[in-house]
Amino acid sequence: MNIKDIMASMDYGPSPEDQGAAQAWLDAHDRRLGHFINGAFQGAASADLAVENPATGETLAHIPQAGQAEVDAAVKAAKIAFGPWSRKSGYERSQFLYAMARGLQKRERLFSVLETMDNGKAIRESRTADLPLAVRHFYHHAGWAAMAETEFSGQQALGVCGQIIPWNFPLLMLAWKVAPALAAGNTVVLKPADLTPLTSVAFAELLVEIGLPKGVVNIVQGGAETGALIVRHPDIAKIAFTGSTAVGREIRRETAGSGKRLTLELGGKSPFVICTDADLDAAVEGVVEGVWFNQGEVCCAGSRLLVQEGIAPRFLDKLRARVEKIRVGDPLDKSTDMGAIVSARQKSRIENLLANASRQGNRLEQSSCALPEQGHFVSPGFFADAEPASEISQVEIFGPIAVTTSFRTIDEAVDLANNTGYGLSASIWSENINAATELAARIKAGVVWINATNVFDANAPFGGVKESGFGREGAREGMQAYLEAIPTSRSKPAKPVDVDFSPTRLGEGPLDDALDRTMKNYVGGKQARPDGGASYVVRDHKNRPLGLAPLSARKDIRNAVEAATKAGAWAANAHGRAQVLFFLAENIAARASELISLLQNMTGTGKSEAGAEVQKTLERCFYYAGMADKDDGAIHATKPRHLTLAVKEPIGVVGVLASDNAPLLGLMSLILPLIAAGNRVVAIPSPAHALIAQALYQIFDTSDLPAGVVNLISGDRDVLAKTLAEHDAVDALWYHGSAPGAAAVEAGAAGNLKQVWTNAGTATDWFDDNVARGRQWTDMATQIKTIWVPYGA
């Protein structure tokens, strides 16, 4: 056979990787692996969960299932270790992270082979993708640790971090989680997936070798029950989870009201957009990398192929020819392109989805390659011309199958790309930089690759939007997720003012200035009566009636959210936003005496205190007017030939529920950072002091604030908070009220996994600039979109 024939058939012959060292490692452990708690291995004697090789069905080892006692011991060890570890200098922590990177490099073959045997992925992927990137994360975060005192001054570690990782990238996910947590000074309780625990045990041995202090990293084995114990544990400060959206929702509900920080990297159904001017051969190779990499068991797989009509027939012909060349077989063969599905259960799930789709009339085209007789293998393929609303186009397959749909215009491509509850990533293929960047800006995703796909780096933030979760891993943004501001004073419980929301009582006597103080809601730039037509009495500090405020309900929130959604153009012009905020300050200053008088009447505060509140509100307007066009993203240094942009984008429509203390300053301190960043707001003023809204919407009307950017709805804070939390068109929620109210909105937000930021039931000192304004506020008002652009020679 000559070279031409070999290139045509792609028949390279066998080239197996030596698995002798990995088998010897397993034998040395008697194929029974345990937990790693407080620097020691334990529990192997009770190992009864089988770990199999997906490519052969062979049992590789057994692991134990951690119960309450083991999780308690691991958390206790991490809690004891936290103090000494967090007090180490950044330089000292960086030395350990550097040693982890070097240890992985020196044992690259062992870790790669163990990963392939355990997971079923091709050895060439383990060796050329997973291991180098895991090493990169430890090197990168060794650098962050060394710079922590200066780069993150005024911040401190969170405490014990519970980390739960999936089975598709076992060692890489471990590195993504452990490296930033340790660099920031936290300690860790990690649970690997029960299907793929081998490299976590080998990594634990590496930690013993480098002398990592006991308890800094603890690894407990087990399934979903063990993960649930970690999530619920009261001594864990943060949960970092990568996995399914369904489990992410349960974690959001389970942690509601606990005060735990949360980072969720969940499912995806990512669009892969091929424009008419794309390099089709390059795009086809992109599909190979984007869909069939790691057997399609990738959360950011570009499995929805959106192909422009004019090139669709040619592209699909090229794709059919290319899929026939994918070599499926023994993952330990270095010439294998695609290995085995991780388990029989996962293979069955994939096959059921394919069968259902075929029964519904979708046409599946799969490679004709012969599959091994043993193991869990699925042929790569795609559905041609799938309906965008079909199950196969909406559900994450998590296997080597794509769906294809055609589009005509850029607008249609955007609509199709965003026609999903997910928002993890997108891949765009076009030689027209205008078309590519327009698509990158308009597609709702946390990561966008232009003329590339599945490119990762430790210095590139990674994470999703919508039902793909929230939070970022990697780069400065990933470090920030493991830090918090050092408190400047002891927090006090919030004390919401009791309000009587019963229908207005007749015969109580006339209200002072009743005609002037019967306010309405403010929706879409207009005053609007509440849908139910009900009002409640707003009283002063001596319980005397001041006026009437709308008692709003679900329909009023719906109208306000619709108005906010229509005001999306507000995000486009940062300089324009700054001008409006300056003008807003000017109009507040012009009505300062009226606002001071109103604050005195509502709260009983003295004139000087009320004047100070108005003055501080003016300062906040100027501060965020200044920030509006200066809160930039960054260009991160990553791989050669790429410009990696971390673009700060507004979150979208945000619900705001204000506290009772400092009713003007507190409300505006919540609204201003959000609108400065380009968000639109549905705000609920303090129910006890709702009349502040009437003065504000008169000011908004004269400040060139576009209709719908700020909407003011009065009523029962916790009733309206529930409606906002459950509303799928609300993208985030900022809540300042009682502790039970904070817990309720966190639980209610699990439906569309919106970001929630609460006061956790503590009072905020709105006059303290260190607490109530600053970078933390603008960071929370934005989300990072990472865009990979081809750049350089």
Side-chain angles (χ1 to χ4, degrees):
M1 181 179 288
N2 58 38
I3 292 176
K4 180 179 178 181
D5 293 333
I6 291 173
M7 293 302 293
S9 67
M10 300 295 282
D11 186 8
Y12 295 115
S15 53
E17 177 66 72
D18 180 17
Q19 57 179 294
Q23 294 288 2
W25 182 85
L26 289 166
D27 289 338
H29 291 79
D30 198 25
R31 298 188 179 259
R32 305 184 73 83
L33 308 173
H35 315 295
F36 180 66
I37 298 174
N38 201 29
F41 294 93
Q42 57 182 262
S46 61
D48 56 4
L49 297 178
V51 179
E52 73 162 9
N53 182 334
T56 64
E58 161 200 10
T59 296
L60 296 170
H62 287 81
I63 59 169
Q65 169 98 6
Q68 190 69 61
E70 291 79 12
V71 171
D72 284 347
V75 174
K76 181 180 178 181
K79 189 175 181 180
I80 292 171
F82 171 68
W85 178 253
S86 62
R87 288 192 294 270
K88 285 185 180 293
S89 70
Y91 165 67
E92 291 174 304
R93 292 198 300 271
S94 72
Q95 288 181 300
F96 286 106
L97 288 159
Y98 175 78
M100 293 173 202
R102 292 291 292 129
L104 287 174
Q105 281 184 314
K106 289 185 285 187
R107 292 163 180 79
E108 177 186 299
R109 172 170 286 185
L110 173 64
F111 277 95
S112 297
V113 174
L114 282 175
E115 197 81 329
T116 288
M117 292 169 62
D118 204 11
N119 171 270
K121 65 178 65 190
I123 186 65
R124 67 179 185 85
E125 293 178 359
S126 297
R127 292 195 69 172
T128 63
D130 293 33
L131 257 293
L133 189 52
V135 169
R136 163 77 169 133
H137 271 270
F138 283 111
Y139 275 132
H140 178 75
H141 288 93
W144 279 125
M147 301 185 298
E149 286 92 349
T150 57
E151 291 300 307
F152 300 100
S153 62
Q155 298 184 69
Q156 64 183 10
L158 301 173
V160 179
C161 296
Q163 302 181 324
I164 303 169
I165 60 175
W167 43 256
N168 55 341
F169 293 94
L171 183 65
L172 180 55
M173 291 294 100
L174 179 153
W176 278 28
K177 297 287 190 290
V178 170
L182 298 191
N186 301 281
T187 54
V188 165
V189 175
L190 176 92
K191 191 199 83 66
D194 55 343
L195 294 175
T196 53
L198 300 188
T199 48
S200 70
V201 177
F203 179 76
E205 292 179 337
L206 189 156
L207 300 182
V208 173
E209 179 181 292
I210 67 173
L212 186 74
K214 294 179 179 180
V216 171
V217 173
N218 305 271
I219 300 173
V220 291
Q221 307 292 351
E225 298 85 354
T226 303
L229 292 171
I230 292 172
V231 168
R232 295 191 202 107
H233 203 287
D235 290 333
I236 285 181
K238 174 185 170 70
I239 296 293
F241 172 77
T242 296
S244 74
T245 296
V247 175
R249 284 197 183 95
E250 288 304 310
I251 291 174
R252 170 72 282 180
R253 294 187 184 102
E254 190 65 45
T255 57
S258 67
K260 290 182 173 71
R261 294 275 291 274
L262 198 57
T263 301
L264 300 176
E265 195 263 280
L266 308 175
K269 190 73 174 178
S270 301
F272 191 106
V273 185
I274 305 110
C275 297
T276 189
D277 57 1
D279 180 335
L280 296 191
D281 292 322
V284 166
E285 291 306 310
V287 174
V288 173
E289 186 68 19
V291 179
W292 297 309
F293 172 69
N294 203 51
Q295 302 78 248
E297 296 170 327
V298 184
C299 52
C300 55
S303 56
R304 285 190 298 140
L305 309 182
L306 309 180
V307 191
Q308 202 151 12
E309 276 188 359
I311 57 161
R314 279 195 300 140
F315 177 80
L316 292 178
D317 285 344
K318 288 177 177 288
L319 192 63
R320 290 183 184 100
R322 182 63 179 87
V323 75
E324 290 294 332
K325 303 297 184 184
I326 295 175
R327 293 173 57 88
V328 182
D330 180 6
L332 283 171
D333 191 314
K334 290 188 282 288
S335 60
T336 291
D337 296 316
M338 204 181 86
I341 301 300
V342 73
S343 69
R345 180 179 178 182
Q346 178 63 12
K347 178 186 175 184
S348 176
R349 177 185 176 276
I350 294 168
E351 290 176 337
N352 287 337
L353 282 170
L354 303 187
N356 288 339
S358 297
R359 281 193 294 270
Q360 292 166 8
N362 296 284
R363 179 165 51 91
L364 176 61
E365 301 184 34
Q366 280 182 288
S367 169
S368 60
C369 64
L371 299 180
E373 294 181 2
Q374 291 183 311
H376 315 308
F377 292 88
V378 173
S379 297
F382 60 91
F383 286 93
D385 301 320
E387 289 293 327
S390 65
E391 179 189 45
I392 205 69
S393 295
Q394 293 293 322
V395 173
E396 185 178 28
I397 301 173
F398 225 63
I401 305 295
V403 296
T404 69
T405 304
S406 62
F407 68 91
R408 292 182 179 178
T409 66
I410 293 296
D411 286 344
E412 187 179 2
V414 171
D415 288 343
L416 289 169
N418 291 333
N419 182 32
T420 174
Y422 297 113
L424 186 53
S425 66
S427 185
I428 297 163
W429 294 78
S430 174
E431 295 300 297
N432 183 333
I433 189 63
N434 294 326
T437 53
E438 180 182 350
L439 284 163
R442 294 176 64 188
I443 292 175
K444 296 177 181 178
V447 181
V448 178
W449 294 288
I450 295 178
N451 292 334
T453 192
N454 280 352
V455 185
F456 306 100
D457 189 87
N459 199 30
F462 184 88
V465 300
K466 301 195 294 184
E467 293 182 20
S468 291
F470 48 80
R472 295 294 180 263
E473 295 183 296
R476 178 185 290 272
E477 294 81 359
M479 277 288 290
Q480 197 66 62
Y482 285 93
L483 293 161
E484 64 181 357
I486 298 172
T488 56
S489 60
R490 175 174 288 185
S491 60
K492 300 177 181 178
K495 296 181 179 179
V497 178
D498 290 332
V499 177
D500 181 3
F501 292 107
S502 59
T504 305
R505 294 194 300 273
L506 299 178
E508 190 174 6
L511 303 174
D512 293 339
D513 301 323
L515 291 177
D516 294 334
R517 291 301 181 198
T518 303
M519 60 174 274
K520 300 176 184 176
N521 288 325
Y522 184 64
V523 178
K526 298 178 182 179
Q527 297 182 48
R529 290 186 176 87
D531 180 67
S535 299
Y536 70 98
V537 177
V538 177
R539 301 177 181 276
D540 67 12
H541 66 291
K542 292 184 178 179
N543 204 38
R544 296 172 300 195
L546 279 176
L548 301 178
L551 184 59
S552 305
R554 181 177 298 273
K555 179 69 160 42
D556 302 295
I557 293 293
R558 189 181 75 184
N559 293 341
V561 172
E562 287 179 359
T565 302
K566 293 175 182 177
W570 173 250
N573 187 342
H575 172 61
R577 296 197 300 272
Q579 287 182 299
V580 170
L581 293 183
F582 279 126
F583 196 14
L584 186 63
E586 182 181 329
N587 286 319
I588 289 174
R591 302 182 66 165
S593 59
E594 176 189 341
L595 290 168
I596 290 170
S597 177
L598 179 57
L599 289 171
Q600 286 182 272
N601 288 336
M602 287 192 305
T603 65
T605 188
K607 185 174 182 179
S608 61
E609 290 86 353
E613 184 171 345
V614 173
Q615 178 60 36
K616 183 60 74 173
T617 303
L618 285 170
E619 292 175 15
R620 292 274 154 84
C621 287
F622 266 71
Y623 179 85
Y624 287 112
M627 289 289 285
D629 59 355
K630 300 176 186 66
D631 186 31
D632 303 324
I635 297 175
H636 288 297
T638 57
K639 295 178 181 291
R641 299 188 54 133
H642 288 95
L643 195 66
T644 308
L645 311 177
V647 180
K648 284 194 167 186
E649 292 189 336
I651 298 169
V653 176
V654 182
V656 163
L657 299 112
S659 63
D660 293 325
N661 60 317
L664 171 65
L665 178 59
L667 176 61
M668 292 301 289
S669 294
L670 292 166
I671 291 174
L672 288 168
L674 287 165
I675 63 174
N679 298 283
R680 292 89 70 202
V681 169
V682 177
I684 315 301
S686 159
H689 309 305
L691 294 184
I692 196 67
Q694 187 175 39
L696 282 176
Y697 63 60
Q698 292 168 353
I699 291 171
F700 293 157
D701 277 342
T702 58
S703 300
D704 292 341
L705 188 72
V709 172
V710 176
N711 305 272
L712 300 171
I713 306 293
S714 70
D716 188 324
R717 176 171 44 226
D718 288 344
V719 169
L720 298 178
K722 182 176 186 296
T723 301
L724 284 165
E726 294 172 353
H727 201 303
D728 283 345
V730 175
D731 301 297
L733 203 60
W734 289 10
Y735 174 93
H736 279 253
S738 66
V745 297
E746 289 179 342
N752 74 337
L753 287 165
K754 60 173 61 70
Q755 300 181 47
V756 178
W757 193 27
T758 80
N759 63 332
T762 60
T764 300
D765 182 356
W766 296 110
F767 288 87
D768 186 347
D769 287 339
N770 293 320
V771 172
R773 74 165 199 194
R775 178 68 65 183
Q776 179 188 17
W777 290 78
T778 55
D779 285 347
M780 292 300 297
T782 55
Q783 55 194 0
I784 294 294
K785 176 182 280 185
T786 303
I787 305 176
W788 292 76
V789 183
Y791 180 80

